[in-house]
Amino acid sequence: MKIDDIINQQRIEEIINRVVFDEKKFLDIIEKSKEKKGLSLEDVAIFITAPQEMSDYLFKTSSWIRREIYGNRTVLFAPLYVSSYCVNRCAYCGFQAQNHQPRMKLDSVRIRLETEALLDMGHKRALLECGEDPSHNSLDYVLSAIRQIYGTKNSKGDSIRRVNVNIAAGSVEDYRRLAEVGIGTYNLFQETYHQPTYEKVHPQNTPKGNYERQLFAMNRAIEGGLGDLGMGVLYGLYDWRFELLALISHAQYLDRTFGIGPHAISFPRIQQAGGVEFMPPFPVSDDDFLKIIAIIRMAIPYAGMVISTRENPEIRLKAFRIGISQTSAGSSTVPGGYACPNKGKKMLKQFELHDNRSLDEISYELLVKGFIPSHCTACEFQGRMGKNFMPFAKSGNIKNFCQPNALITLKEYLLNYASIATNRLGQEIIEWELSLLPALRRSTTEEWLRRLDRGEKKYFYT
Ligand code: SAM
Ligand code: SF4
């Protein structure tokens, strides 16, 4: 396996330098993207070169594709940081080893308390996060943390139904063990596809300093049996145009080689981290950030797209409209930050957040703006993962399953965790959305909703 099989850095640079904006081609590619079959790197380069006044075409089309594939659903989750120990020295990160602030690693009791706190907010999906540290955060520790999260019930008898993870690149054997414990999506961000930049911000004498270890990790993950993969670039490290083409190239390689494209693509943009002096060398403006999101929605239409609370509410709302289908809410980037929020304020954070609203506040806003806040985890229960998931996602058929599941999980949330205002609005919106479902689907969904009203606790999923 060679780096060039996944991304050919020279070719990407050549495309960026060669392609010049052409309005006719631009409009043709807009039409092509509506077929929802993806775009070539050359197509994407035309979008990249488009002047700002053409952005509206991109946003209108990507919003349309978002609605076609994902409807108006936005899936919610929260990160669960289990340890801030890390041996790496990623120049941008608050957890880097040279940041001499006190660290925290949650033991099983604290993981249970943290999980209960997330459940009490109404979350059903957690994203386990930690630094890389073979002695403090060994794979055995991570696996037992995952088991602890799945095994925790809150006072209402609810539990986390999908644990996604975002941990350092591992071996095939590591990934086999993660698959066995039953994780959802395995996320690993390349941070930057530009090798010289990668090697500059990740010192060579640290485990993460190895560009190839990071780049080939998805191949090992697939070999180890993981099928739902989450990719991303950390925007601000290098020229976003290069990163965008490289990410798409990586996604196309995985799809072509294994029949498994990315289940999720995340859009982290560098934020300040306490105790770390790092100025992003290629800061990405809000306009460009939104353009990146729109282009990815058009180039890889089937992928779930994730924005976190790194971004402020205003830009998040725009991002939901033009392509984002999953978001974190009520988040903390400190181990223990949910169960002990005050103590958490003084502890080492990975980075600063710009949306500090609660899950309920974010759910309310989503409802007001025409989205359905969803806590659905049905695909995992129905075996729609990895290769089995791709045909549903690519054909757009997934929305036939997702809409009823989203309404059911929204109802569960409203009945058990929402404020009075969110509950009232949510119930009205469920009625409205039911009226839009085809008759058979509507009657089954109504029956499940009635069973939730009667207090039945069971997964009602299609
Ligand atoms: N430690 C593992 C790793 O680096 O692969 C797991 C992921 S780390 C907990 C989550 C992600 O946070 C990193 O991959 C990086 O993209 C992002 N991140 C780190 N520092 C950041 C910062 N200052 N601003 C925004 N995102 C940051
Ligand atoms: Fe450690 Fe991950 Fe932060 Fe790098 S990004 S210092 S590996 S926690």
Side-chain angles (χ1 to χ4, degrees):
M1 195 176 11
K2 297 194 302 292
I3 293 175
D4 281 359
D5 296 339
I6 300 179
I7 62 147
N8 183 326
Q9 306 188 40
Q10 259 176 329
R11 178 166 171 248
I12 290 175
E13 269 155 14
E14 184 271 315
I15 294 175
I16 292 174
N17 292 329
R18 171 172 47 84
V19 173
V20 285
F21 182 68
D22 175 315
E23 190 164 330
K24 168 149 188 342
K25 273 195 197 154
F26 177 90
L27 295 174
D28 286 347
I29 300 164
I30 290 273
E31 287 312 307
K32 179 178 170 188
S33 71
K34 290 183 189 164
E35 292 166 21
K36 296 173 278 171
K37 296 206 164 71
L39 299 175
S40 69
L41 297 188
E42 270 82 3
D43 294 339
V44 170
I46 292 278
F47 284 166
I48 282 174
T49 56
Q52 197 56 35
E53 60 267 25
M54 302 303 280
S55 294
D56 261 5
Y57 284 100
L58 297 176
F59 296 149
K60 278 201 184 109
T61 315
S62 68
S63 304
W64 179 82
I65 296 173
R66 193 256 198 239
R67 292 263 158 181
E68 280 288 298
I69 295 191
Y70 284 94
N72 55 355
R73 296 175 307 282
T74 301
V75 173
L76 295 159
F77 69 93
L80 201 170
Y81 280 76
V82 291
S83 169
S84 49
Y85 284 92
C86 190
V87 297
N88 288 313
R89 299 199 303 277
C90 310
Y92 43 80
C93 179
F95 289 172
Q96 60 150 294
Q98 282 174 328
N99 194 358
H100 299 295
Q101 294 188 34
R103 311 258 157 178
M104 173 85 158
K105 170 184 167 182
L106 303 184
D107 60 14
S108 65
V109 173
R110 288 196 165 117
I111 292 172
R112 178 171 56 73
L113 293 174
E114 202 67 347
T115 309
E116 282 171 1
L118 281 186
L119 289 166
D120 290 346
M121 291 179 208
H123 278 295
K124 297 287 185 291
R125 291 169 161 252
L127 170 63
L128 181 145
E129 306 249 14
C130 64
E132 175 170 9
D133 186 328
S135 59
H136 283 100
N137 317 334
S138 65
L139 187 67
D140 283 335
Y141 168 74
V142 170
L143 295 173
S144 71
I146 295 168
R147 284 192 206 98
Q148 177 69 66
I149 297 169
Y150 275 130
T152 299
K153 279 192 192 318
N154 70 351
S155 57
K156 292 181 194 283
D158 283 328
S159 52
I160 294 290
R161 296 173 186 166
R162 182 171 172 120
V163 181
N164 297 329
V165 302
N166 188 357
I167 58 168
S171 64
V172 173
E173 183 51 28
D174 293 342
Y175 291 131
R176 201 161 279 137
R177 295 179 70 202
L178 280 168
E180 272 164 21
V181 82
I183 63 163
T185 308
Y186 172 66
N187 293 279
L188 183 74
F189 306 152
Q190 181 61 32
E191 319 297 10
T192 171
Y193 283 93
H194 187 248
Q195 194 166 357
T197 304
Y198 186 96
E199 289 170 357
K200 205 159 143 198
V201 295
H202 305 106
Q204 296 297 282
N205 56 354
T206 60
K208 193 164 163 183
N210 182 339
Y211 178 85
E212 292 192 4
R213 184 190 83 151
Q214 198 84 352
L215 189 68
F216 298 151
M218 292 303 177
N219 295 50
R220 296 193 298 279
I222 292 171
E223 202 183 330
L226 292 172
D228 284 0
L229 305 174
M231 305 167 64
V233 158
L234 183 58
Y235 290 98
L237 292 178
Y238 189 61
D239 184 348
W240 65 264
R241 296 168 308 163
F242 177 92
E243 304 286 22
L244 182 56
L245 289 174
L247 177 80
I248 294 169
S249 174
H250 191 179
Q252 290 175 344
Y253 161 82
L254 293 175
D255 198 11
R256 191 169 66 237
T257 313
F258 304 104
I260 298 179
H263 188 86
I265 297 178
S266 295
F267 295 84
R269 205 163 38 152
I270 294 179
Q271 308 298 328
Q272 254 201 320
V276 171
E277 299 275 323
F278 183 77
M279 293 299 283
F282 289 84
V284 175
S285 69
D286 287 354
D287 285 344
D288 286 341
F289 187 58
L290 292 170
K291 205 161 145 184
I292 293 167
I293 291 172
I295 295 173
I296 298 243
R297 174 48 74 222
M298 296 157 89
I300 316 176
Y302 59 84
M305 289 176 38
V306 187
I307 198 165
S308 75
T309 50
R310 287 175 181 87
E311 301 296 334
N312 67 43
E314 212 179 310
I315 197 147
R316 277 158 57 81
L317 180 59
K318 289 182 183 159
F320 298 151
R321 292 194 169 120
I322 62 167
I324 293 293
S325 55
Q326 296 183 28
T327 188
S328 48
S331 312
S332 162
T333 60
V334 184
Y338 299 117
C340 304
N342 287 330
K343 224 173 177 182
K345 277 186 195 139
K346 292 182 215 119
M347 299 296 295
L348 178 61
K349 283 188 200 135
Q350 197 191 12
F351 46 79
E352 295 296 331
L353 299 177
H354 294 97
D355 185 347
N356 292 305
R357 294 172 300 169
S358 66
L359 172 62
D360 189 70
E361 288 168 318
I362 291 175
S363 304
Y364 186 83
E365 191 205 33
L366 285 169
L367 289 165
V368 168
K369 304 293 183 192
F371 296 97
I372 302 177
S374 168
H375 295 266
C376 183
T377 53
C379 284
E380 197 170 25
F381 284 89
Q382 305 289 32
R384 291 190 295 264
M385 291 186 81
K387 250 187 177 158
N388 295 334
F389 173 78
M390 285 294 143
F392 292 106
K394 286 185 180 169
S395 64
N397 271 348
I398 198 73
K399 67 168 174 274
N400 297 327
F401 301 103
C402 295
Q403 202 71 354
N405 294 335
L407 297 179
I408 291 158
T409 55
L410 171 60
K411 174 98 178 189
E412 260 189 311
Y413 170 75
L414 297 175
L415 289 175
N416 294 295
Y417 301 103
S419 63
I420 294 170
T422 306
N423 187 7
R424 195 173 294 146
L425 178 62
Q427 303 275 7
E428 278 173 27
I429 285 175
I430 289 176
E431 287 306 314
W432 162 257
E433 291 287 339
L434 276 172
S435 71
L436 303 177
L437 289 178
L440 186 59
R441 239 164 236 287
R442 182 169 65 235
S443 62
T444 323
T445 311
E446 280 169 342
E447 171 54 20
W448 285 333
L449 292 172
R450 278 194 291 274
R451 287 166 72 172
L452 283 179
D453 272 327
R454 292 198 294 267
E456 276 189 48
K457 279 214 172 275
K458 187 182 168 305
Y459 305 125
F460 305 110
Y461 284 151
T462 58

